[in-house]
Amino acid sequence: LDEPKRELPEIRRSVVIVGGGIAGLWAAYQLARAQIPSAVISYAGSDRGGVQGASRRSAGAVNTAPLNLQDLEGYLQDLGRGQAHPDVASILDAYLAPALADLEGLVELRRVKIGKALAKGPGHTLLERLDHAYRELGGTVIDGWVTRLVLDHQSCRGVQYETPTGVGKLRCKSLVLATGGYAGLFGNATRTNCFGTMSGRFLRAGGLLSNLEFVFKHGYGNIDANAVTPTEELPGAEIRDADGNRVTWLEETLFSQEGTRSHLAAVRFWSQNARTKFFVDLRHRPLYLRFAQLKKEIQRARKSGEATAATRAREEFVASFPVDARATVHHEITDPSASGFALFERLKPLSSDQSPVVFRVAPLIYFTMGGVAHSHLRTSLPGVFVTGEAMHDFGANRVGGLPWALYLAAGCLLRDQLTSFAAGDWCGDFELLPQRSSFDSPVFDSVQAHLKRALENGLNPEEAERSLVWLRNERRKLCAGAATFGDTEASLLLAEGIVQSALLRRESRGFFLREDHPTEDTRLDTLVSRARYEPSRDEVEVTLRSPGDLALECHAAWTRSEPAPAYESSPNWSIL
Ligand SMILES: Cc1cc2nc3c(=O)[nH]c(=O)nc-3n(C[C@H](O)[C@H](O)[C@H](O)COP(=O)(O)OP(=O)(O)OC[C@H]3O[C@@H](n4cnc5c(N)ncnc54)[C@H](O)[C@@H]3O)c2cc1C
């Protein structure tokens, strides 16, 4: 550990929000508009495994289907195979419409197939706009790294954080965790650099996490660049193995613009053929775009009765081909029986777009569906709320745009919930610890390698057991004799919870696939995994519970009069 650092001036706010992605900043903006004093603390540096956060890279697509569905709960449970958090539907139902209206008051949105999306730029442009609007309303934003959650068995006292210039104390009555997911713990993940360290600290402080085994995988990962290609950019793609054998059923799905619903089918296919390398070739994408435009023009002309417009569109389309192919193209597109994918297939060899634009495709983890257990965003630690990807939200599957829809809605629910807490009494003060938490790259690399070996392409129970032993031993070594609990220890603890949860779920469900248990077990339909740190054994304990029981546990924490076991055992670490 470095030398203890200078103490920064204490800051007090009714609410402290940890995390400045869409979930945290949106909640903060809602609080500021309701005149609830708050501060956001988020880390903008790049020396903890790279700049963190999924929101800044997101296209900000918001799925608006929840606004029109008769049976939203039924839809989400069917999609999530019974594992969606039971409060997701009611939060979306109550708050998505007003949240979207608020967002449209702040930035321009455009229509997309699944609903709305940011009109300009990726998420980080919106984050800048939100940051500005929040500060203008009196909000405080701190660039710092939170290293301790401080609470006693009845209330939350605040957090300890560090900056390059010192360690500081943020006192609050309520804390909101908006620290994002834990996809970064997996080697085969997009580089959002979110390692779930705060979730690990929360676990160590006695908090409950649920459904850690469920992660969402993008079906069209560019595995060499560790990037995902938005499914809207994939219609027209060819998908082939190294011998040139095409996966036409998937190409046709993408061509029909069903990509956002096809991730699970694609991931299952890649996993079943894990020994084969597959490639996406986008050479015909320009042709697809011209073809789609032609279809649009013809439909428009048909509606308005302008036959000449349709003829002109056809002529322009034909003219985009090499001269010697034009007669055939003309014949193909005027044949009334020809349409869709089959016609596109016949046009491809006639086009001049023949230079390969290829990437190797494989599943890429880019969203974690489990996380902090909660009941209407109240966690199992008193005074601590959660929002965003940090929480258990969706189940064994989800579709594009649902996360942003939920996190926008959740910000409004938090505002309503926190209105009453802002008026409550201040809790006790706490001492700062002279500690610093640094990023230990080699250990994180090893965690990624272990999770990859144990969990990629279906769980490997022997590898998983071996990883569990390694994760535990590594953490115990680091903790032995240490007065503080660092980021590495927190991530090792979280990874232990992930592996244990995966081992306990003896079935395949949605994105959770096991070779040794290849089908869904109906007895587990509505049981979620619950991870808790057990201090007497110094290990994570995972059990299966009904969501109702978990909700009761969260409620009980807010009215507890006796310290929970984990509190007693860690007086100098994450908590008082
Ligand atoms: C490439 C990509 C595209 C996506 N596109 C969409 C989409 O179009 N629509 C959709 O609905 N979903 C999309 N998703 C998913 C969605 O964007 C994320 O789930 C969502 O943005 C997560 O937001 P968040 O605020 O919870 O977390 P994040 O945006 O990950 O933010 C977490 C923040 O917490 C901070 N933090 C963490 N720990 C600490 C600490 N100890 N101290 C201080 N700060 C801390 C981090 O620095 C980070 O800034 C996409 C994801 C990816 C990766």
Side-chain angles (χ1 to χ4, degrees):
L1 285 182
D2 291 358
E3 286 295 298
K5 298 189 149 192
R6 170 171 95 76
E7 281 196 14
L8 302 165
E10 175 183 312
I11 297 175
R12 275 189 192 210
R13 294 289 184 277
S14 292
V15 184
V16 164
I17 297 154
V18 189
I22 183 63
L25 276 176
W26 181 254
Y29 174 66
Q30 292 296 336
L31 294 182
R33 291 195 345 154
Q35 298 185 332
I36 300 170
S38 67
V40 172
I41 175 155
S42 195
Y43 189 66
S46 58
D47 54 345
R48 293 179 189 277
V51 177
Q52 297 187 353
S55 308
R56 63 195 184 85
R57 300 187 47 195
S58 157
V62 181
N63 198 316
T64 53
L67 297 174
N68 307 313
L69 287 166
Q70 291 293 328
D71 178 14
L72 180 55
E73 170 67 11
Y75 167 77
L76 289 169
Q77 291 305 350
D78 185 42
L79 181 68
R81 310 301 310 142
Q83 297 291 320
H85 192 285
D87 298 338
V88 171
S90 63
I91 297 172
L92 284 167
D93 193 38
Y95 291 104
L96 178 57
L100 257 181
D102 279 359
L103 183 64
E104 297 216 70
L106 201 67
V107 286
E108 197 189 330
L109 301 181
R110 66 186 163 98
R111 289 207 154 277
V112 291
K113 191 159 183 274
I114 58 170
K116 299 272 175 89
L118 299 175
K120 290 187 189 106
H124 98 97
T125 329
L126 170 63
L127 297 186
E128 279 172 12
R129 177 79 189 89
L130 268 175
D131 179 289
H132 182 73
Y134 174 60
R135 286 176 201 257
E136 276 202 325
L137 291 166
T140 308
V141 181
I142 301 159
D143 179 7
W145 181 250
V146 172
T147 54
R148 271 174 85 207
L149 294 175
V150 185
L151 43 124
D152 59 34
H153 60 280
Q154 283 178 321
S155 57
C156 166
R157 299 191 182 188
V159 295
Q160 176 167 336
Y161 70 99
E162 65 180 53
T163 71
T165 53
V167 292
K169 180 193 300 185
L170 268 167
R171 287 183 61 193
C172 60
K173 297 174 189 174
S174 308
L175 185 68
V176 178
L177 298 180
T179 42
Y182 48 89
L185 282 184
F186 299 85
N188 52 329
T190 44
R191 293 276 171 258
T192 53
N193 306 317
C194 295
F195 303 104
T197 48
M198 191 47 81
S199 301
R201 288 182 185 283
F202 177 85
L203 188 60
R204 181 60 188 81
L208 301 178
L209 303 180
S210 52
N211 266 8
L212 294 176
E213 67 276 31
F214 289 110
V215 299
F216 183 85
K217 294 177 186 170
H218 198 287
Y220 308 95
N222 178 337
I223 198 74
D224 297 317
N226 266 95
V228 293
T229 311
T231 46
E232 314 84 79
E233 291 173 22
L234 287 168
E238 275 191 1
I239 302 175
R240 298 185 229 101
D241 65 17
D243 297 327
N245 302 308
R246 284 176 52 196
V247 190
T248 41
W249 66 269
L250 206 47
E251 291 178 11
E252 198 163 353
T253 306
L254 292 169
F255 179 88
S256 319
Q257 300 195 356
E258 295 299 323
T260 188
R261 275 195 281 273
S262 69
H263 290 286
L264 183 54
V267 167
R268 285 212 169 123
F269 182 76
W270 309 138
S271 302
Q272 281 156 6
N273 297 280
R275 285 197 182 83
T276 311
K277 284 185 179 171
F278 289 93
F279 301 87
V280 167
D281 187 343
L282 290 168
R283 80 179 75 179
H284 297 297
R285 176 78 182 152
L287 172 63
Y288 170 83
L289 291 174
R290 295 200 302 277
F291 186 65
Q293 184 62 26
L294 172 68
K295 236 169 64 185
K296 242 195 236 160
E297 299 282 346
I298 290 177
Q299 267 163 9
R300 197 180 303 149
R302 213 171 270 155
K303 261 194 207 147
S304 62
E306 287 179 63
T308 48
T311 310
R312 203 170 44 244
R314 280 199 189 92
E315 279 168 7
E316 279 170 18
F317 183 73
V318 170
S320 69
F321 284 78
V323 178
D324 55 350
R326 288 181 189 165
T328 320
V329 173
H330 180 80
H331 173 74
E332 289 287 3
I333 63 169
T334 43
D335 176 355
S337 66
S339 69
F341 187 68
L343 173 57
F344 181 63
E345 280 293 288
R346 289 204 296 278
L347 293 174
K348 280 186 338 194
L350 302 171
S351 123
S352 54
D353 311 320
Q354 300 301 342
S355 319
V357 184
V358 178
F359 65 85
R360 187 156 73 87
V361 65
L364 260 190
I365 294 174
Y366 89 127
F367 179 80
T368 45
M369 298 190 272
V372 173
H374 62 98
S375 173
H376 285 95
L377 312 181
R378 288 186 187 202
T379 75
S380 55
L381 293 183
V384 183
F385 294 79
V386 67
T387 183
E389 202 179 321
M391 63 180 162
H392 169 193
D393 41 23
F394 299 101
N397 186 12
R398 59 116 171 126
V399 289
L402 280 181
W404 273 53
L406 178 63
Y407 308 157
L408 292 173
C412 299
L413 170 59
L414 279 172
R415 175 201 60 210
D416 288 357
Q417 298 232 38
L418 284 161
T419 307
S420 52
F421 284 87
D425 293 334
W426 280 93
C427 316
D429 197 359
F430 62 94
E431 292 295 315
L432 284 176
L433 295 180
Q435 70 176 60
R436 191 173 188 277
S437 190
S438 57
F439 183 79
D440 187 341
S441 189
V443 179
F444 276 85
D445 291 348
S446 303
V447 172
Q448 286 180 342
H450 273 280
L451 290 189
K452 189 171 177 185
R453 274 201 300 274
L455 304 177
E456 197 174 296
N457 296 322
L459 177 114
N460 179 329
E462 291 80 37
E463 280 291 351
E465 293 289 356
R466 270 195 289 278
S467 294
L468 209 49
V469 172
W470 182 85
L471 290 163
R472 244 176 228 149
N473 288 345
E474 218 40 38
R475 177 177 55 79
R476 287 175 182 162
K477 259 192 275 168
L478 289 169
C479 287
T484 58
F485 189 70
D487 289 348
T488 317
E489 294 87 310
S491 286
L492 285 163
L493 193 70
L494 178 63
E496 192 181 321
I498 296 168
V499 177
Q500 297 240 73
S501 304
L503 278 167
L504 189 64
R505 186 167 286 281
R506 292 188 192 93
E507 63 164 352
S508 290
R509 185 178 289 268
F511 278 96
F512 181 71
L513 301 169
R514 281 184 72 147
E515 264 178 33
D516 53 348
H517 295 282
T519 54
E520 265 183 20
D521 179 344
T522 50
R523 289 169 303 177
L524 305 182
D525 277 354
T526 52
L527 290 180
V528 295
S529 63
R530 163 197 181 272
R532 176 179 165 275
Y533 173 69
E534 175 49 55
S536 62
R537 292 206 304 279
D538 186 19
E539 62 185 45
V540 181
E541 180 188 73
V542 178
T543 49
L544 290 167
R545 289 285 163 93
S546 76
D549 284 350
L550 262 184
L552 285 177
E553 282 193 80
C554 292
H555 284 294
W558 291 58
T559 50
R560 187 185 283 143
S561 54
E562 290 301 310
Y567 296 142
E568 288 168 342
S569 74
S570 58
N572 292 316
W573 291 1
S574 304
I575 56 163
L576 272 182

